Amino acid sequence: MPRKIGFVSGMDQIHSIQSKLVPIELDKVFIEDEKAKPGSNSEALSECIRFLERGDSVYVESFSLLATSLSDLYHRSKQILSQGASIVFVAENIMLSEDETNSSVVSLSLFDSFAKFENYLLSECQKASSASSDSRIGRPSIPSKVRKAVIAQNEQRIPKAQIAKQHGISRQTVYRILNEKGSRR
């Protein structure tokens, strides 16, 4: 006789059993340790998979409780489907079953491929962004021509705000240049 099995990840998810999984009369519930990360090779998930028999249904509240990536989801789902059981993702209202194993596996394979492609695009964008951005950290350097002009104008008693405006720098930068040279007045 097919059984209904619940898999809940983390002790804080016990409230989820009472919310979304409560209308379902579950024969057994496997609760993941609070410290375990979803998708890791957990004892509770391994125990759940060993417990499965052909025709059983595993009820999981959401994709995120079974895996942290589409690749994890693909592999975890294949493990459960290979036992002859079906998986019901309650929040997403999706059921993967052995009757539809081929189409389910194809769908998960497509999701996995899309996720890898998206990760590739993101990493390429990050590489391009870091390569195009100035790799210097900190203040931009002030050309020596500007430094000399700031010092000369200060010696002519031109107001610091006017010097800053003329050279497109802040007053703070003017003061910093003058402090470095010891010629602040």
Side-chain angles (χ1 to χ4, degrees):
M1 180 173 181
R3 300 172 296 178
K4 294 180 180 179
I5 295 139
F7 179 74
V8 180
S9 181
M11 295 302 281
D12 59 330
Q13 297 298 329
I14 290 177
H15 302 292
S16 300
I17 295 174
Q18 297 167 344
S19 60
K20 292 185 181 175
L21 298 184
V22 107
I24 304 162
E25 291 185 28
L26 299 171
D27 297 309
K28 182 155 178 82
V29 176
F30 290 89
I31 300 172
E32 185 60 82
D33 182 17
E34 187 175 332
K35 296 172 188 159
K37 291 195 304 189
S40 63
N41 290 328
S42 67
E43 286 188 37
L45 183 58
S46 298
E47 189 179 333
C48 177
I49 291 171
R50 282 193 305 270
F51 181 78
L52 293 174
E53 295 176 358
R54 182 166 291 286
D56 287 349
S57 295
V58 178
Y59 288 81
V60 181
E61 185 180 356
S62 175
F63 289 151
S64 62
L65 298 181
L66 191 61
T68 56
S69 69
L70 286 171
S71 293
D72 285 345
L73 181 64
Y74 172 74
H75 294 291
R76 303 283 181 250
S77 297
K78 272 186 80 172
Q79 285 179 313
I80 293 170
L81 293 172
S82 70
Q83 297 294 319
S86 60
I87 310 168
V88 178
F89 296 102
V90 178
E92 292 84 4
N93 197 23
I94 293 176
M95 179 179 171
L96 305 176
S97 68
E98 65 174 339
D99 300 336
E100 307 165 346
T101 300
N102 290 337
S103 64
S104 298
V105 170
V106 168
S107 298
L108 287 172
S109 295
L110 280 173
F111 284 139
D112 186 38
S113 297
F114 289 144
K116 287 178 182 173
F117 178 62
E118 183 180 29
N119 285 339
Y120 169 76
L121 290 177
L122 287 172
S123 69
E124 289 299 311
C125 285
Q126 287 172 346
K127 286 178 190 174
S129 175
S130 66
S132 68
S133 69
D134 188 16
S135 61
R136 289 181 45 92
I137 297 175
R139 296 183 184 119
S141 61
I142 306 296
S144 62
K145 184 190 277 187
V146 173
R147 289 178 179 278
K148 289 176 183 175
V150 166
I151 293 168
Q153 287 176 328
N154 183 58
E155 289 172 357
Q156 295 172 5
R157 302 214 180 257
I158 296 174
K160 313 265 188 305
Q162 187 178 344
I163 296 172
K165 188 174 184 181
Q166 183 179 353
H167 295 287
I169 58 177
S170 69
R171 282 187 313 156
Q172 184 177 8
T173 301
V174 170
Y175 284 111
R176 193 174 65 247
I177 291 169
L178 297 174
N179 282 336
E180 289 171 1
K181 296 295 182 189
S183 58
R184 183 175 174 196
R185 289 185 198 188

